[in-house]
Amino acid sequence: MPGRVSSVEETLTASVPKIFDQVQNSTANHQKNIVALYKLHLDAAGFTEPVHDGRSIKLTGERMFEEKFKDILCRAAAVKKGTSQGDRIVKFVGAYTKYINERAAEVKKEDDDDDDDETTASRFVEKVLAFLLIGFEAKDKVARYRCVHFLAEMVAHLGEISEKLYTELRTALFERVHDKETFVRVQAVIALSKLCGSEDPSDVEEGEPTALEVLLEILSCDPAADVRRAALLNIPLSSATLDAVLARTRDTDTIMRKLVYSAILVQHCFVSDGSAMGLVHPRVLTIAQRELIIRNGLGDREPAVRQAAAVLLSKWVDVARGDIKNEESKTAKDDVLALLSLFDLTESTVAEDALLSVLDKRHDISDHVEFEDAYWANLTPERVFFARVFVDHCIANKAAEKLDASLPVVTALAYHIQAAYNAYQEDLEVAEQDRVIRGELTEEEEEARIDKEFVIGEMLKVAVNLDYADEIGRRKMFQLVRDMISQEALPESLVARCLDVLRILSPNERDLIRVVVEVVHELRDVSDEEEVLKEPADDGETNSGETPMPIRIAPKGPKSSEDMSSEERARLDAIDLRCLSLCIGMLERVNGTFEENSTLEGILGELIIPAVKRKELVLREKGLICLGLCCLIARRMALNSFQLFLGQIQTAPEVLKIRVLQIVFDILMVHENDFLNKEGGASERIIEFFLHVLEHEESDKVQALLCIGLAKLVLAGMICDDKVLQSLVAAYLAPDTIDNQEVRQCLAYFFPVYCYSSAVNQRRMQRLFVGLFERLAPETRNVDETQEMVSPAQIAAMFVDWTDPQKAIEVQDQPTDETIHIDLASDIARALFDDKMIKEDKKVLYQVLGRLYLPDKVDDDKIRTLKLLLHNLNSRRPIRDAAAKNALAKFDAAISKRYAEQLESFNEEDYRQLEYLKDLFEFLDDIIPLDDGEEVDIPRTRARKRRSESIATDITDSIVPDESVASAASSSHPKGKDRGKQTKRRRVSDSDDSDDVLSHDHVTPAPTRTLPKRAASVKKPQVVQLIEDDDDDEEEEEEEASPPPASQNGRKPRP
């Protein structure tokens, strides 16, 4: 027996490694080697040893094979990711697992053995899995990766395994999907995706997540795109996972978004055998899901994603008719109409975007589309929508021949519109009668009414693009449209469409205004019609012209309103609303001035002004919109009415406030010189008003509108007030706007565009940085537990990025300013002298210095000023934090190295003689070295003071009044730091109220408060005596970190 054992072991030792040596070199020999390895496995399994007096057997051969196999796995587990030999071995192991389980199933079927006895294959799989699960806990990331990779290949072909092993396997994979290494998580997700198909949710304990729930969380929340991608491609597609998959159309990773369309939606339109519609077939999806897919795909910022969405739409066109296809009568037009029937044409523009994409990509459709006369005679929403979008497509692509072949004759289209509108009116009358009898309309009747309204609207859009050279057709269309807007029953949605056609048909704006004013008078002259019937003797006089009609009715208006019933009053209000809608549409299409169109004077006094004074919100809203549109074309009216609009902002409800704000910003954009003139005081008052509203406004929508309007004015250069920029930055970073995504998205776009578009704008942001940082940094530590706010480091990083001169766009006659970051470094250095700034904020500013851009050429005065500030900062305000100290030392060294030539002849004594640098030295001489707090130690600070008299003067001899200190910095700004006193309110409206806070030079120690105390101190001579012994060693350390400039007594730093 020992000889037999050694023979089997020798055979396995010689053959198994040879097989794996072959399979690691090529996948072409895998099938052959699988068969050979299976033969060895069977031969070894045939060798057993009897135990317990022959009552049982010992599977000696199987154990030998399993040990040899596990030895090979151990060797392969050490092969790094990306090595092709290791990947081929993994594939071979997975293929072998599949093969032995298939062979075992065949043998079991042939023997009709239905019991649950173990087989050679099941025992082998359990041993290998148990071995691999040990590697899941390995410290080496490569070993963990290979073990999980082996399992991912094997898990789909495991066959039957014990419940205990399944639980252990599931638990181990749950842990590995949260592994710190991305490539390990990828393989764990693949394995878990294959395993979740066999999971029974009823077997999962209460409170424990299912495998599918874990995968959905990974799909949505894993920070690595590769892991999310693996989850997307391997997760089982079902009704439970579909919404999560579709949500990935808004993923941050471009490839991920593209794969949703190309690998999921296109590939799963039908089931695998093509016999039935799949879960993502367009006819199976809901309208909301279809619109989500198309909106996100065609609206994506990446061309690759848009292309994938267009390919999906092309496939949808071919499969949209589903199972009702008839190949003999199939036409491209029918396919397109079938696709359009799957969208809601009336509520969104998604269907239009989808159809334009199909016409652009499918030339086999767009080149053969024709609309015969019979097509226009039988219009449905889908048919008229197809025709209208096709016309727009031809116009956009300048396809004149296609356009001529598609458009109907003007007269014919006019008759079609008239017939459709007459039918619509008849249906309204019938519906009104049914409402009296039955009550409310059914849902089907309401949908039919909306469809007919939609058809008329689309035909009117087509009418805008017709050729009106035919005078008969032009007159027919003009009369038809004029009659339609004169009808009270005309739906509100069709008013604008009719006015578009009327504008095309009118020779000029004056004619358009005249027609609309006539219609308004006809609609409002209801009481006059009754008077005409009662007093026929006056008929000739009143019909001599239309203008006397409103004059005669005007005095009767107030009397009739008191005597009217509620129904009559409601009807007149409805007529006024219709007239106001007509006026809004007309004024939106007028570009001339108000003075050029005197006809508008009548409706202004008779309709618009009374509507503004009404208490009813709807009438007042439309009246204000009309008045605002009039102000856009009437400068004098805008000046007189502007205060009215501002008053409405303060008192009106949210809906009306939004409308009025839109009007106000439009007026400011049009009449900039009259309201935002830099020389007058009106601009400051308007700005203060906006900032006050922004600070105290509760509504998210109003906040967003204010930020958008102010951002537009600032970006256009109409507002240059620093307070507006400060308030916008505060609104962008404030914790209470974190849920107002409209504000965040607007300002996230505005600040980079504003800063990169001009060096002047970058310079303005650089000037505001320190003051805003000192104000916002404390707020980051005072937010509530329920709120979130970016850290001071992130705030500083944003400003560094916004002021980076390398990102500025070159504008003609306005070169980029490459010294912005040099000035920003000087501002930061001045701020770091402030002993009231806490250690954490100082550390952030020290770290910022290393991120600044150092240009090749810098003005000598600027770089020497910065060097002087850094030297004094290092000597008088040393910081204990090692990271901050290293950051300052590195920046100082970089300055000294990069500008060595300019600093070589730098002499502080000569520098002090320059008159324009007097403020700088007053600032430095006024700095009082600290003797407590976080600084290193007192003797060191005093040693530097005694050694270099030119850098720090005697404290008792350098008392400077507050006024001179406040003007010390050459780049000071009186409004920069006042915000530091504010609480968590994010807006600044009182920045000019405080005069006792120093601005931008950051000299916070007030001499009037601290100097008397220090002057009376007797510790100063003691400190000087204490440092004489170790003076040289400490000075040498400081000089190595930051070589100072030449001092007044002529001493130079040591080499």
Side-chain angles (χ1 to χ4, degrees):
M1 187 63 67
R4 172 68 171 156
V5 172
S6 61
S7 174
V8 172
E9 187 173 4
E10 289 174 1
T11 302
L12 294 177
T13 303
S15 301
V16 172
K18 287 183 179 180
I19 290 175
F20 278 93
D21 185 58
Q22 293 179 18
V23 300
Q24 73 176 345
N25 295 320
S26 173
T27 57
N29 57 30
H30 278 197
Q31 188 60 36
K32 178 190 71 174
N33 284 298
I34 286 172
V35 176
L37 186 63
Y38 181 65
K39 187 174 182 302
L40 286 175
H41 196 172
L42 288 182
D43 291 343
F47 175 64
T48 59
E49 292 180 344
V51 293
H52 301 302
D53 299 329
R55 289 192 298 252
S56 60
I57 58 174
K58 183 178 180 181
L59 305 175
T60 307
E62 285 189 18
R63 296 293 173 266
M64 291 181 182
F65 181 84
E66 290 163 2
E67 292 300 323
K68 294 297 179 184
F69 197 89
K70 288 191 288 187
D71 180 62
I72 298 295
L73 294 183
C74 278
R75 298 173 187 272
V79 180
K80 291 184 178 180
K81 177 183 180 294
T83 306
S84 57
Q85 288 83 357
D87 295 339
R88 293 190 190 105
I89 290 177
V90 171
K91 289 183 179 179
F92 177 78
V93 171
Y96 181 70
T97 304
K98 178 182 178 181
Y99 182 81
I100 62 173
N101 278 296
E102 289 177 349
R103 295 290 297 171
E106 291 176 2
V107 172
K108 193 173 183 180
K109 185 176 181 180
E110 291 174 0
D111 297 343
D112 294 331
D113 187 6
D114 295 333
D115 56 16
D116 295 332
D117 290 345
E118 292 183 344
T119 62
T120 301
S122 64
R123 289 191 294 269
F124 169 79
V125 168
E126 291 204 4
K127 290 292 184 181
V128 172
L129 286 182
F131 177 73
L132 291 176
L133 289 178
I134 298 174
F136 275 37
E137 305 295 333
K139 291 185 178 180
D140 184 30
K141 61 184 179 181
V142 176
R144 293 199 308 276
Y145 165 72
R146 284 300 176 188
C147 290
V148 179
H149 196 183
F150 276 123
L151 180 61
E153 285 290 332
M154 296 172 58
V155 71
H157 317 293
L158 293 181
E160 296 180 358
I161 59 176
S162 65
E163 187 68 27
K164 178 183 177 182
L165 182 60
Y166 175 83
T167 303
E168 292 177 355
L169 177 61
R170 182 173 174 275
T171 304
L173 287 176
F174 278 11
E175 294 177 358
R176 286 312 102 204
V177 293
H178 297 101
D179 194 281
K180 65 179 180 179
E181 301 297 336
T182 299
F183 50 83
V184 177
R185 298 203 303 274
V186 168
Q187 296 302 325
V189 166
I190 294 173
L192 192 61
S193 301
K194 297 175 181 178
L195 191 68
C196 70
S198 60
E199 183 181 61
D200 187 0
S202 60
D203 295 337
V204 179
E205 296 181 5
E206 186 177 356
E208 183 181 0
T210 64
L212 193 59
E213 291 173 348
V214 172
L215 286 174
L216 291 177
E217 181 184 0
I218 295 295
L219 178 64
S220 302
C221 305
D222 196 280
D226 290 341
V227 180
R228 299 197 304 273
R229 209 173 298 151
L232 175 70
L233 296 176
N234 292 278
I235 194 170
L237 195 61
S238 64
S239 57
T241 61
L242 181 59
D243 289 338
V245 170
L246 295 183
R248 292 304 93 206
T249 57
R250 298 291 290 171
D251 196 275
T252 56
D253 181 58
T254 302
I255 300 176
M256 185 79 172
R257 300 195 302 272
K258 179 182 176 182
L259 285 174
V260 175
Y261 292 93
S262 59
I264 304 297
L265 297 175
V266 172
Q267 300 297 329
H268 294 83
C269 269
F270 293 94
V271 295
S272 56
D273 58 358
S275 59
M277 292 185 291
L279 189 64
V280 293
H281 190 282
R283 299 188 72 87
V284 177
L285 296 170
T286 64
I287 290 180
Q289 289 172 336
R290 288 192 289 266
E291 291 190 352
L292 174 73
I293 292 169
I294 302 305
R295 183 189 306 110
N296 292 346
L298 297 181
D300 198 276
R301 60 181 175 269
E302 294 295 333
V305 181
R306 295 198 298 270
Q307 177 65 26
V311 171
L312 174 67
L313 270 173
S314 297
K315 177 142 183 108
W316 279 11
V317 171
D318 296 331
V319 303
R321 291 203 287 173
D323 299 330
I324 60 173
K325 281 190 174 183
N326 184 354
E327 295 296 332
E328 296 181 359
S329 61
K330 175 185 176 182
T331 63
K333 192 184 299 182
D334 294 332
D335 289 339
V336 173
L337 294 175
L339 176 65
L340 292 177
S341 66
L342 302 178
F343 292 95
D344 186 355
L345 304 180
T346 60
E347 295 295 330
S348 68
T349 61
V350 174
E352 182 173 350
D353 296 335
L355 183 52
L356 287 173
S357 174
V358 170
L359 294 175
D360 284 334
K361 303 298 180 183
R362 295 287 299 270
H363 295 288
D364 58 319
I365 295 176
S366 59
D367 291 343
H368 299 89
V369 170
E370 292 183 1
F371 302 107
E372 303 84 1
D373 294 340
Y375 184 91
W376 297 96
N378 184 23
L379 290 177
T380 62
E382 291 79 16
R383 291 165 70 87
V384 70
F385 182 81
F386 184 19
R388 196 267 301 171
V389 174
F390 184 77
V391 169
D392 292 345
H393 169 75
C394 293
I395 294 174
N397 291 276
K398 299 180 180 179
E401 295 182 359
K402 292 182 183 178
L403 184 62
D404 293 339
S406 304
L407 288 174
V409 180
V410 176
T411 308
L413 184 61
Y415 279 115
H416 291 313
I417 295 175
Q418 184 176 2
Y421 184 68
N422 290 338
Y424 176 80
Q425 284 187 309
E426 292 175 1
D427 290 344
L428 284 182
E429 294 174 0
V430 174
E432 186 64 29
Q433 295 174 1
D434 291 343
R435 187 182 293 110
V436 173
I437 299 173
R438 296 183 302 167
E440 293 297 326
L441 295 176
T442 63
E443 186 176 349
E444 293 77 9
E445 292 173 338
E446 184 65 20
E447 289 180 358
R449 183 192 65 80
I450 294 174
D451 287 347
K452 290 182 179 180
E453 186 178 317
F454 177 78
V455 169
I456 298 171
E458 292 299 294
M459 284 195 287
L460 288 171
K461 289 182 182 180
V462 173
V464 173
N465 299 309
L466 294 178
D467 182 5
Y468 289 100
D470 177 17
E471 183 63 21
I472 297 176
R474 193 195 71 82
R475 290 182 180 180
K476 173 65 178 175
M477 185 66 75
F478 180 85
Q479 189 60 42
L480 171 65
V481 174
R482 192 196 181 286
D483 291 343
M484 289 176 65
I485 62 174
S486 302
Q487 299 279 337
E488 295 180 34
L490 181 70
E492 188 77 18
S493 60
L494 297 182
V495 172
R497 305 282 76 81
C498 290
L499 290 175
D500 286 334
V501 179
L502 207 57
R503 183 178 59 174
I504 298 295
L505 296 174
S506 301
N508 50 52
E509 288 184 355
R510 185 173 303 215
D511 252 23
L512 172 64
I513 294 172
R514 179 185 58 79
V515 172
V516 174
V517 170
E518 288 177 357
V519 171
V520 168
H521 286 159
E522 291 175 6
L523 287 171
R524 300 189 77 232
D525 290 347
V526 179
S527 59
D528 189 58
E529 294 178 3
E530 299 174 357
E531 182 181 337
V532 169
L533 293 175
K534 293 179 181 178
E535 303 178 14
D538 295 335
D539 185 42
E541 297 178 5
T542 55
N543 281 344
S544 60
E546 294 182 355
T547 50
M549 297 169 69
I551 299 175
R552 182 166 49 80
I553 293 173
K556 294 185 179 181
K559 296 180 181 179
S560 60
S561 62
E562 296 174 359
D563 301 332
M564 283 181 188
S565 63
S566 58
E567 292 81 4
E568 291 175 334
R569 195 176 298 112
R571 181 170 179 271
L572 287 181
D573 287 347
I575 292 175
D576 283 347
L577 283 174
R578 166 51 51 83
C579 294
L580 288 170
S581 298
L582 285 171
C583 291
I584 290 172
M586 173 194 65
L587 292 169
E588 287 174 344
R589 291 158 178 80
V590 170
N591 296 315
T593 63
F594 194 86
E595 291 76 11
E596 294 174 354
N597 301 282
S598 57
T599 319
L600 294 173
E601 292 283 355
I603 61 170
L604 177 65
E606 298 171 11
L607 177 65
I608 298 175
I609 300 299
V612 172
K613 298 178 180 179
R614 294 288 294 268
K615 295 182 179 180
E616 292 82 3
L617 186 61
V618 179
L619 282 168
R620 185 149 56 104
E621 178 184 357
K622 286 187 177 291
L624 287 170
I625 294 173
C626 283
L627 184 59
L629 291 170
C630 289
C631 290
L632 296 182
I633 59 175
R635 172 182 168 275
R636 186 175 300 174
M637 189 184 303
L639 292 172
N640 295 333
S641 305
F642 194 75
Q643 193 60 42
L644 167 68
F645 292 122
L646 295 184
Q648 292 289 332
I649 293 175
Q650 293 179 312
T651 59
E654 179 182 343
V655 177
L656 193 57
K657 190 180 294 186
I658 291 173
R659 287 291 191 186
V660 175
L661 276 173
Q662 292 171 340
I663 294 168
V664 168
F665 282 120
D666 285 344
I667 291 175
L668 292 177
M669 294 289 286
V670 174
H671 304 291
E672 172 195 2
N673 295 330
D674 296 305
F675 293 99
L676 300 177
N677 192 346
K678 280 70 177 179
E679 299 176 357
S683 175
E684 295 182 2
R685 290 194 297 271
I686 292 172
I687 291 171
E688 289 295 338
F689 174 80
F690 282 142
L691 297 184
H692 175 79
V693 176
L694 183 61
E695 182 179 358
H696 297 91
E697 183 56 50
E698 300 279 340
S699 169
D700 287 349
K701 292 182 179 180
V702 177
Q703 283 181 2
L705 187 56
L706 278 167
C707 288
I708 293 172
L710 290 173
K712 286 182 179 180
L713 294 173
V714 172
L715 190 59
M718 297 179 182
I719 290 181
C720 300
D721 197 317
D722 289 347
K723 291 183 292 185
V724 177
L725 270 178
Q726 291 170 334
S727 294
L728 290 177
V729 172
Y732 182 46
L733 301 176
D736 48 353
T737 63
I738 193 168
D739 295 326
N740 195 342
Q741 292 301 316
E742 194 172 358
V743 167
R744 292 296 178 102
Q745 290 179 8
C746 163
L747 297 179
Y749 174 80
F750 161 73
F751 284 115
V753 171
Y754 173 75
C755 294
Y756 301 155
S757 61
S758 170
V760 176
N761 297 342
Q762 284 190 321
R763 177 65 68 181
R764 187 175 291 119
M765 294 299 287
Q766 168 256 318
R767 190 172 65 247
L768 298 177
F769 165 64
V770 172
L772 281 169
F773 181 82
E774 291 177 342
R775 172 195 164 191
L776 294 172
E779 290 188 11
T780 62
R781 295 180 289 274
N782 298 330
V783 295
D784 298 336
E785 295 181 357
T786 57
Q787 294 179 320
E788 295 180 6
M789 187 175 179
V790 295
S791 64
Q794 291 172 306
I795 296 173
M798 281 191 290
F799 273 89
V800 170
D801 182 68
W802 292 340
T803 57
D804 189 351
Q806 300 177 98
K807 296 185 178 182
I809 300 173
E810 293 187 6
V811 182
Q812 189 175 5
D813 301 329
Q814 191 181 98
T816 56
D817 188 353
E818 294 193 344
T819 63
I820 291 177
H821 274 186
I822 296 295
D823 292 334
L824 183 61
S826 298
D827 292 344
I828 292 173
R830 291 172 184 270
L832 289 170
F833 281 107
D834 186 356
D835 59 337
K836 292 184 179 180
M837 184 179 291
I838 66 172
K839 178 181 177 182
E840 288 76 10
D841 293 345
K842 283 189 175 182
K843 183 177 178 181
V844 169
L845 293 181
Y846 278 115
Q847 298 290 346
V848 165
L849 293 173
R851 303 178 185 176
L852 301 180
Y853 167 69
L854 302 179
D856 295 331
K857 296 181 180 180
V858 182
D859 182 71
D860 290 352
D861 289 340
K862 287 189 176 184
I863 196 61
R864 290 172 180 177
T865 299
L866 177 59
K867 181 67 178 177
L868 194 63
L869 287 168
L870 294 177
H871 167 63
N872 280 271
L873 180 63
N874 192 35
S875 60
R876 304 189 184 200
R877 291 291 187 272
I879 190 168
R880 182 175 299 174
D881 184 80
K885 185 185 295 184
N886 291 337
L888 178 61
K890 288 181 180 179
F891 183 70
D892 194 5
I895 291 290
S896 301
K897 181 179 180 181
R898 193 172 188 85
Y899 308 108
E901 295 182 1
Q902 294 171 273
L903 297 173
E904 185 177 2
S905 59
F906 178 33
N907 185 283
E908 184 181 337
E909 181 178 0
D910 297 338
Y911 210 50
R912 280 180 174 271
Q913 304 305 318
L914 299 176
E915 182 67 25
Y916 63 88
L917 293 177
K918 179 181 177 182
D919 291 342
L920 171 65
F921 284 101
E922 286 181 353
F923 169 79
L924 292 175
D925 293 343
D926 192 63
I927 298 299
I928 303 172
L930 298 181
D931 55 359
D932 54 5
E934 66 169 359
E935 281 64 37
V936 193
D937 56 0
I938 298 171
R940 225 173 136 177
T941 304
R942 301 292 185 184
R944 297 302 300 161
K945 176 179 180 297
R946 185 172 67 81
R947 182 174 177 276
S948 180
E949 297 178 359
S950 63
I951 296 175
T953 60
D954 190 89
I955 298 173
T956 58
D957 297 332
S958 61
I959 300 178
V960 183
D962 287 351
E963 291 80 0
S964 61
V965 175
S967 61
S970 59
S971 60
S972 66
H973 191 279
K975 300 175 185 177
K977 192 180 173 185
D978 290 356
R979 297 177 183 21
K981 285 193 166 187
Q982 290 193 355
T983 59
K984 289 173 60 179
R985 298 300 298 181
R986 62 184 180 279
R987 309 290 181 256
V988 182
S989 60
D990 56 348
S991 59
D992 295 332
D993 296 338
S994 177
D995 295 327
D996 59 344
V997 182
L998 302 181
S999 58
H1000 201 63
D1001 49 17
H1002 311 291
V1003 186
T1004 53
T1008 56
R1009 184 181 68 252
T1010 59
L1011 288 182
K1013 179 181 177 182
R1014 292 181 179 273
S1017 174
V1018 296
K1019 294 182 180 179
K1020 182 177 178 181
Q1022 296 177 3
V1023 173
V1024 176
Q1025 294 296 326
L1026 287 172
I1027 64 173
E1028 289 180 350
D1029 296 335
D1030 55 353
D1031 176 71
D1032 295 337
D1033 294 336
E1034 293 176 352
E1035 287 179 0
E1036 184 175 349
E1037 290 179 9
E1038 289 192 0
E1039 289 166 350
E1040 289 176 356
S1042 175
S1047 62
Q1048 192 172 7
N1049 56 16
R1051 294 176 61 184
K1052 294 185 178 180
R1054 299 179 184 179

